[in-house]
Amino acid sequence: MSDATPILHMLSPQKHMSPFDVNMAADAGYKVIVPYINVTLEEVTALTQDAIFSRPPDFGKRTGLFIGGKDAILALDMLEAAKKALVPPFELSTFADPAGSFTTAAAMVACVERVLRTKFNRGWKDTRIAVFGATGVVGFAASIITALEGAKVKLVAHRGVDRVIKSAAVSKERFGVDLEPAPGETAEQKAAIISDAEVIFAAAAAGVQVISAHDKALAKDLMVVADVNAVPPAGVEGMDLFMDGAPLPGCNALGVGPLAIGDIKYKTESGLFKQMINSDKAVHFDFRDAFAFARTLTT
Ligand SMILES: NC(=O)c1ccc[n+]([C@@H]2O[C@H](COP(=O)([O-])OP(=O)(O)OC[C@H]3O[C@@H](n4cnc5c(N)ncnc54)[C@H](OP(=O)(O)O)[C@@H]3O)[C@@H](O)[C@H]2O)c1
């Protein structure tokens, strides 16, 4: 392995780079970490090439580019732009994880997959999933990961179905998956979605309860409910922070709570940073790679 200093260039299209991700990168072993803020997509090529040509090719393996922000599609576009800007043998490794969403979604899917496998002898194929918070970055990534695994995924809209229709179209175009937009504004619409679901992902904003005790009682086929919200009130009423496949009170389903997911998320993000530092070739990570890694922690 090269003894070059591990350097991480961290790009954010927002006015801050996430302190969470800076800490994670440092604890994983990066020695020099430089945040760049308000970065536009058009600037990624020049920044990437500035980073690669200043180090001999062997040192490039110890140079990383992290892409943060809060927009999944923009982060994926920036990742593609960075990869296209590489001029072999001058390379670097890349990792997109906007708002921690790719590693969080990967961890949530891997944790639920473990419960489905160990408690129900089921996989994702044809499993009916309802995603609450589907327009958010965590919900978006979790929808695509599970659809790629063969699940039937509903994107629940809590206000106006247009944005989830757009999300489904983008997902089809970029990943070839069929996601079903589902209007969930009225009590009747929500009840129909919940009574049909086998798995629920509660991925709405922090402190927002999307599944109440009343909602849970409507579930007929529900096997597992996952909740990523750690800020009270719970995203799913009655969810325990550390629940990891235990019975969820008030229904027949099993629950996976935010800190059980958070533990796998933390290990996934840290593990991917370590792979970037230690790999003997340039590596590139998006939510699919995050899921592949998270799965190694839950099987
Ligand atoms: N456990 C962990 O390790 C971990 C790590 C990272 C994040 N998180 C959590 O994951 C969750 C999602 O994060 P994110 O970054 O994806 O958030 P986000 O991008 O802000 O998305 C939030 C989602 O919640 C929806 N929403 C907002 N208010 C709602 C309401 N009253 N009813 C139903 N839906 C509502 C939003 O819909 P609109 O688009 O219509 O506003 C959007 O779909 C958050 O709770 C966050 O704290 C957990």
Side-chain angles (χ1 to χ4, degrees), residues 119-144:
K119 305 283 176 58
F120 298 94
N121 196 25
R122 282 278 298 264
W124 290 115
K125 183 90 181 87
D126 293 331
T127 294
R128 301 190 305 277
I129 305 174
V131 182
F132 290 84
T135 51
V137 276
V138 174
F140 175 79
S143 305
I144 297 168

Side-chain angles (χ1 to χ4, degrees), residues 3-223:
D3 60 359
T5 302
I7 300 175
L8 187 65
H9 301 283
M10 302 187 81
L11 276 46
S12 173
Q14 297 183 295
K15 69 172 182 174
H16 301 297
M17 168 51 65
S18 152
F20 184 102
D21 295 323
V22 172
N23 292 350
M24 292 288 303
D27 290 344
Y30 277 105
K31 299 293 179 218
V32 175
I33 296 172
V34 187
Y36 304 77
I37 57 167
N38 295 319
V39 176
T40 64
L41 176 58
E42 294 69 34
E43 291 168 328
V44 171
T45 299
L47 285 167
T48 304
Q49 292 180 342
D50 212 32
I52 58 175
F53 288 129
S54 46
R55 304 187 99 185
D58 192 41
F59 279 36
K61 296 165 205 152
R62 308 293 295 277
T63 314
L65 189 83
F66 178 85
I67 295 162
K70 184 75 185 144
D71 180 328
I73 295 295
L74 177 58
L76 292 169
D77 285 343
M78 288 178 135
L79 190 66
E80 277 316 301
K83 282 156 69 178
K84 272 197 196 125
L86 301 177
V87 185
F90 294 93
E91 296 189 276
L92 48 65
S93 290
T94 60
F95 177 16
D97 196 15
S101 62
F102 289 1
T103 46
T104 301
M108 175 168 68
V109 175
C111 288
V112 173
E113 181 181 70
R114 174 167 56 190
V115 179
L116 283 175
R117 186 182 61 249
T118 57
K119 305 283 176 58
F120 298 94
N121 196 25
R122 282 278 298 264
W124 290 115
K125 183 90 181 87
D126 293 331
T127 294
R128 301 190 305 277
I129 305 174
V131 182
F132 290 84
T135 51
V137 276
V138 174
F140 175 79
S143 305
I144 297 168
I145 293 170
T146 45
L148 286 169
E149 293 295 316
K152 293 183 171 161
V153 183
K154 273 189 185 144
L155 307 179
V156 183
H158 76 104
R159 55 178 176 108
V161 77
D162 290 3
R163 283 178 314 133
V164 291
I165 290 175
K166 193 171 160 209
S167 221
V170 168
S171 306
K172 176 74 175 172
E173 185 192 327
R174 293 184 80 115
F175 304 103
V177 292
D178 291 302
L179 306 176
E180 184 187 342
E185 287 162 74
T186 67
E188 292 73 27
Q189 289 168 336
K190 199 171 169 186
I193 291 165
I194 291 169
S195 73
D196 181 59
E198 293 176 309
V199 168
I200 287 177
F201 292 152
V208 171
Q209 186 158 99
V210 278
I211 304 291
S212 65
H214 169 77
D215 293 330
K216 276 188 300 187
L218 302 169
K220 296 194 310 283
D221 299 335
L222 199 56
M223 294 184 283

Side-chain angles (χ1 to χ4, degrees), residues 272-294:
L272 292 178
F273 276 134
K274 285 178 182 153
Q275 283 192 4
M276 288 168 74
I277 294 169
N278 296 320
S279 175
D280 57 6
K281 61 180 175 46
V283 289
H284 305 284
F285 299 138
D286 68 16
F287 54 81
R288 291 163 290 192
D289 309 285
F291 178 53
F293 189 93

